[in-house]
Amino acid sequence: MKKKENMKDETIRIVPLGGLEQIGMNITAFETESSIIIVDCGLAFPEDDMLGVDLVIPDITYLEDHRDKVKGFVITHGHEDHIGSLPYVLQQLNVPIYATRLTMAIIENKLREHNLIGTVKRKVVTYGQYINLGDFRIEFICTNHSIADSAALAIYTPAGVIVHTGDFKVDYTPVYGDTIDLARFGELGKKGVLALMCDSTNVLKPGFTESEKTVGKTFDAIFEDNEKSRIIVATFASNVDRVQQIINSAKRQNRKVVIEGRSMINIVNTAIELGYIRVPDGMMISLEEMGNYTDDKLVLITTGSQGESMAALSRIAASIHKKVTIKPGDVVIFSSRPIPGNEKSVSKVINELSMKGAKVIIQDTHVSGHACEEEIKLIYSLVKPQYAIPVHGEYRHLIGQGEVAKKMGVKKENVVILRSGDVLEIGESHAKVVERVQSAGIMVDGLGIGDVGNIVLRDRQHLSENGLMVVVLTLERGSNMVLAGPDIVSRGFVYVRESENLMDECREVVNIALDRLFDRGVTDWGKMKTEIKDALADFLWKKMKRNPMILPIITEV
């Protein structure tokens, strides 16, 4: 990097609060003495062991502790893992949002749902435009991804220029908009770039990612091979270019198009209004109008490509959708790859569809929106960063990109692998982690935010694996004589009506424990509950090798 006299001793802090060691929940703060900007604010979907949890959002305690310095959110694109947490975070930290046109429109849909549209400042930014936020100047650069209006960021800081790619690939034939602005990356590289923060999702895949346009040819071929059938296509709601290509193929066969699934309807309608999807007049019809057309004149575009239980396709496959029923001869196209962890759910939906006589197509109808190894090398060759800070990926992806960076000339000691919560102090002379801050995700369950933690999850796990046994007894005030009970209620442990002998034995175990307590003159309810739990747990383990959650309830009259 070319040195500038006034930058010699300047440093800034980079604080990733999510998005590292995982796919999702991308959020990174950039901090000087007086200013903080935040790049992206995404959510993650729950792991298998997060029973009952709907979403995971970032812990922004660090930002709240420095709220006077926070100047705004700068958003790279409109995917859930980059914008999904905004409605929750903005309730705690209401600062302006800066994003491109389609990205902002999708954000505004979310803000309306949470009644925040009137209280949050928003600014639409165009490619090549600069915005000044405190000590930072940010430039939006055109990139390609699986959603239109994606941007990389050149962040001008007191310590030097940091280039953040956002999620990207190099697509020379995009469905909508311009190709990635490689020339601008090259210009920045010539002037000197302090650090490159590059998308790592596909770094372990050699070669180049295919153009989105290749999927259009595949759709055309599938539609021609199945011209007599009703066609149902499941894809990500946010993949606006994919929806456009399905519409293009439907147009060639004079088919009507139906959109189903709440998120799909919201995003597609927004994209049509803004001109990102072009639909011939009269081509789009409602679900209710499907009955007016024969199967060979219909295409249904729906959510549910990941097997989500409440998504439209899953409900259709399970025969619980109110308006769409699978018929023998229907063709269902899965236009996405299963996200790791979703394979079983997707397989279940495919099997249900197949059992109803549908023809399921899952090959060659998806290309990734992320750069493979050669595209990442291209960015490094143009940007020529002093430091490489891999982002967006699991730990193995970050390590993989570190290896690519070294191949492309970044010094080994200048490849910085961070974890969420690390505070990186970076300047021309050094880059080192100086502290760690709170960064574990906060779980959202229904309307509750943060009220489900590790202890609650552990209890849910225990209940899900072993069931529950409740012991109820009533004592006389003063004498502590047992007036009623012990009554035993079981849920998820054994079926009580077929286990009456076991229930009698459990009552006897509790009575013996109570006799021991009364002989010792114990009247403290806490000690009584502990004794009952221990005695019953010991008996059930010896008899059945099971360990249910035991909940004693004592009342007094």
Side-chain angles (χ1 to χ4, degrees):
M1 174 167 174
K2 295 175 184 176
K3 293 188 176 182
K4 295 182 181 178
E5 288 301 316
N6 63 336
M7 287 185 184
K8 271 186 180 176
D9 302 314
E10 293 280 2
T11 61
I12 67 155
R13 288 154 66 100
I14 299 174
V15 190
L17 296 173
L20 303 182
E21 304 158 336
Q22 67 183 123
I23 304 290
M25 205 168 78
N26 297 290
I27 177 170
T28 305
F30 294 79
E31 181 180 13
T32 65
E33 286 296 321
S34 60
S35 308
I36 292 175
I37 60 165
I38 307 157
V39 172
D40 292 333
C41 187
L43 56 76
F45 292 103
E47 305 284 339
D48 288 343
D49 59 354
M50 296 180 182
L51 301 171
V53 174
D54 300 320
L55 308 167
V56 185
I57 63 174
D59 186 332
I60 60 159
T61 303
Y62 182 78
L63 300 176
E64 290 183 281
D65 290 345
H66 299 83
R67 65 170 62 244
D68 293 344
K69 293 167 65 172
V70 179
K71 305 302 179 185
F73 288 99
V74 184
I75 308 297
T76 58
H77 66 281
H79 279 158
E80 287 292 305
D81 58 332
H82 292 258
I83 65 169
S85 291
L86 278 171
Y88 303 97
V89 169
L90 287 165
Q91 293 177 38
Q92 312 301 322
L93 192 71
N94 192 338
V95 295
I97 304 171
Y98 301 85
T100 52
R101 190 162 165 251
L102 180 61
T103 306
M104 188 64 81
I106 295 170
I107 292 169
E108 286 174 346
N109 283 341
K110 291 183 168 295
L111 298 181
R112 284 188 196 95
E113 288 176 8
H114 289 78
N115 297 316
L116 292 170
I117 196 74
T119 57
V120 177
K121 290 182 180 176
R122 307 174 304 282
K123 167 80 173 166
V124 173
V125 185
T126 56
Y127 294 133
Q129 185 176 346
Y130 294 84
I131 54 171
N132 294 308
L133 296 175
D135 291 334
F136 299 95
R137 190 179 189 213
I138 302 111
E139 175 189 358
F140 282 64
I141 303 167
C142 178
T143 57
N144 305 126
H145 187 39
S146 54
I147 187 169
D149 270 15
S150 297
L153 305 173
I155 304 169
Y156 298 81
T157 80
V161 177
I162 296 171
V163 174
H164 191 302
T165 64
D167 286 359
F168 84 101
K169 70 177 182 180
V170 177
D171 193 338
Y172 299 114
T173 56
V175 173
Y176 181 94
D178 297 324
T179 57
I180 181 170
D181 191 351
L182 294 174
R184 186 60 191 141
F185 283 102
E187 288 166 6
L188 289 164
K190 286 177 182 174
K191 293 176 183 175
V193 169
L194 178 67
L196 174 64
M197 302 178 73
C198 185
D199 177 11
S200 306
T201 310
N202 270 357
V203 71
L204 301 180
K205 295 180 181 177
F208 293 85
T209 305
E210 286 190 89
S211 170
E212 178 64 33
K213 267 202 177 152
T214 60
V215 180
K217 294 174 184 174
T218 307
F219 278 130
D220 284 345
I222 292 171
F223 276 49
E224 286 170 17
D225 290 345
N226 299 280
E227 59 185 7
K228 300 296 183 188
S229 302
R230 181 174 65 168
I231 295 176
I232 300 170
V233 187
T235 190
F236 292 115
S238 59
N239 198 333
V240 171
D241 288 349
R242 188 73 47 83
V243 173
Q244 178 70 67
Q245 295 191 100
I246 299 165
I247 289 168
N248 294 346
S249 295
K251 180 184 174 185
R252 292 185 181 98
Q253 290 190 352
N254 294 315
R255 291 179 182 256
K256 299 294 183 183
V257 174
V258 181
I259 304 294
E260 174 57 351
R262 180 169 155 270
S263 58
M264 183 71 77
I265 290 168
N266 284 344
I267 291 179
V268 169
N269 285 342
T270 299
I272 290 171
E273 284 171 23
L274 297 178
Y276 291 86
I277 293 178
R278 296 166 295 285
V279 186
D281 291 342
M283 187 179 185
M284 199 83 79
I285 63 169
S286 66
L287 264 179
E288 290 73 19
E289 295 174 279
M290 282 179 68
N292 301 334
Y293 298 90
T294 54
D295 287 352
D296 62 331
K297 294 298 178 189
L298 290 171
V299 175
L300 177 68
I301 306 174
T302 178
T303 54
S305 63
Q306 295 300 309
E308 309 97 311
S309 61
M310 291 311 295
L313 185 64
S314 298
R315 288 185 283 122
I316 292 168
S319 301
I320 56 174
H321 194 285
K322 292 178 181 176
K323 295 174 182 175
V324 182
T325 305
I326 289 292
K327 301 179 290 189
D330 283 344
V331 172
V332 182
I333 303 168
F334 279 75
S335 186
S336 68
R337 290 195 187 99
I339 293 169
N342 290 354
E343 294 90 350
K344 281 186 180 178
S345 301
V346 174
S347 293
K348 179 177 179 236
V349 173
I350 290 171
N351 286 327
E352 287 174 334
L353 292 166
S354 300
M355 287 166 69
K356 291 176 172 60
K359 175 183 174 183
V360 180
I361 298 172
I362 53 177
Q363 290 91 10
D364 303 322
T365 55
H366 177 70
V367 296
S368 177
H370 298 273
C372 289
E373 182 181 359
E374 294 305 314
E375 292 150 275
I376 291 171
K377 284 181 180 175
L378 174 58
I379 295 299
Y380 272 96
S381 70
L382 292 170
V383 173
K384 299 181 178 67
Q386 181 178 342
Y387 295 96
I389 308 171
V391 292
H392 301 173
E394 298 169 6
Y395 192 76
R396 61 196 174 103
H397 300 128
L398 306 183
I399 292 292
Q401 190 181 142
E403 293 303 314
V404 171
K406 285 183 254 182
K407 286 180 194 171
M408 298 306 296
V410 179
K411 292 178 183 175
K412 181 180 178 181
E413 61 271 21
N414 285 1
V415 175
V416 185
I417 308 294
L418 297 178
R419 294 181 296 158
S420 296
D422 283 346
V423 178
L424 177 70
E425 185 179 277
I426 185 169
E428 272 198 31
S429 60
H430 71 277
K432 64 180 180 182
V433 175
V434 292
E435 63 174 296
R436 279 189 59 76
V437 299
Q438 195 170 315
S439 67
I442 292 174
M443 287 168 269
V444 178
D445 185 358
L447 296 176
I449 300 172
D451 54 354
V452 173
N454 290 334
I455 293 171
V456 173
L457 283 182
R458 192 178 65 205
D459 285 348
R460 289 182 180 182
Q461 189 79 30
H462 192 170
L463 286 166
S464 72
E465 292 172 354
N466 302 296
L468 170 70
M469 185 174 275
V470 182
V471 181
V472 183
L473 57 105
T474 304
L475 304 179
E476 182 181 49
R477 183 178 289 134
S479 70
N480 262 357
M481 282 181 59
V482 178
L483 297 180
D487 294 320
I488 294 180
V489 181
S490 170
R491 290 290 181 272
F493 174 59
V494 291
Y495 185 47
V496 174
R497 289 183 184 175
E498 294 177 358
S499 307
E500 290 177 0
N501 290 340
L502 177 66
M503 292 299 110
D504 289 341
E505 290 179 67
C506 288
R507 274 189 282 274
E508 185 59 30
V509 168
V510 175
N511 279 323
I512 292 169
L514 288 169
D515 288 341
R516 282 200 305 269
L517 289 164
F518 296 149
D519 288 346
R520 301 201 313 261
V522 175
T523 58
D524 179 74
W525 282 11
K527 290 179 181 176
M528 292 171 77
K529 288 179 180 179
T530 300
E531 182 86 16
I532 291 167
K533 278 169 65 175
D534 291 347
L536 202 49
D538 188 51
F539 166 74
L540 290 170
W541 180 254
K542 285 177 181 174
K543 185 173 181 69
M544 304 183 75
K545 290 293 183 282
R546 290 197 205 168
N547 185 26
M549 181 178 284
I550 299 169
L551 192 64
I553 298 175
I554 302 173
T555 57
E556 189 179 65
V557 293

